[in-house]
Amino acid sequence: MDPLYLFDLASRQARWASVRQATITGNIANANTPGYQAREVEPFSAVMNKTRLSMATTEPGHMGVPFAGAETSKTKESDSWEVTASGNSVNLDQEMLKAADVNRTYTLNTNIVRAFNRMILTSVRSS
């Protein structure tokens, strides 16, 4: 049986989400610290873009896909952080929205792994 990389991908995303959650909680914890600059973790897609994955051709009839992705470009993100008189740039509303996003990421990740695990168990039991 060939290796299944979905679990590795899910594990990477879970580690990324835990780092992002720790960064968000650090920002919230320093919300009243004068001069503290809010931090952010690069998106998971950027982390995955640094990892080179290529499609494997296991049969001569497989067709190559020269350009499977859509063109991407960097979008200019407006700096929406509010800076207070103390020089602190933490916005609690934005941090709470980010925390909710991390929660959704964990939930989606867990549901995908659970469904994939059920598919594997079903295929093994039916064999």
Side-chain angles (χ1 to χ4, degrees), residues 44-101:
F44 185 67
S45 59
V47 173
M48 287 307 296
N49 285 340
K50 292 177 184 175
T51 306
R52 283 314 233 166
L53 300 175
S54 60
M55 294 179 64
T57 305
T58 56
E59 297 289 329
H62 287 173
M63 297 173 39
V65 181
F67 186 71
E71 276 190 49
T72 59
S73 63
K74 285 191 171 185
T75 57
K76 289 185 179 182
E77 188 174 333
S78 63
D79 188 23
S80 61
W81 297 110
E82 296 176 7
V83 178
T84 60
S86 66
N88 188 317
S89 67
V90 176
N91 183 324
L92 290 176
D93 292 334
Q94 287 179 336
E95 297 302 320
M96 296 307 288
L97 288 172
K98 289 178 190 178
D101 183 48

Side-chain angles (χ1 to χ4, degrees), residues 10-23 40-48 101-102 105-106 109:
S11 175
R12 286 182 189 191
Q13 186 182 32
R15 283 192 305 266
W16 171 85
S18 68
V19 169
R20 185 165 190 228
Q21 184 67 37
T23 304
E40 179 59 275
V41 177
E42 67 181 345
F44 185 67
S45 59
V47 173
M48 287 307 296
D101 183 48
V102 170
T105 299
Y106 272 126
N109 189 339

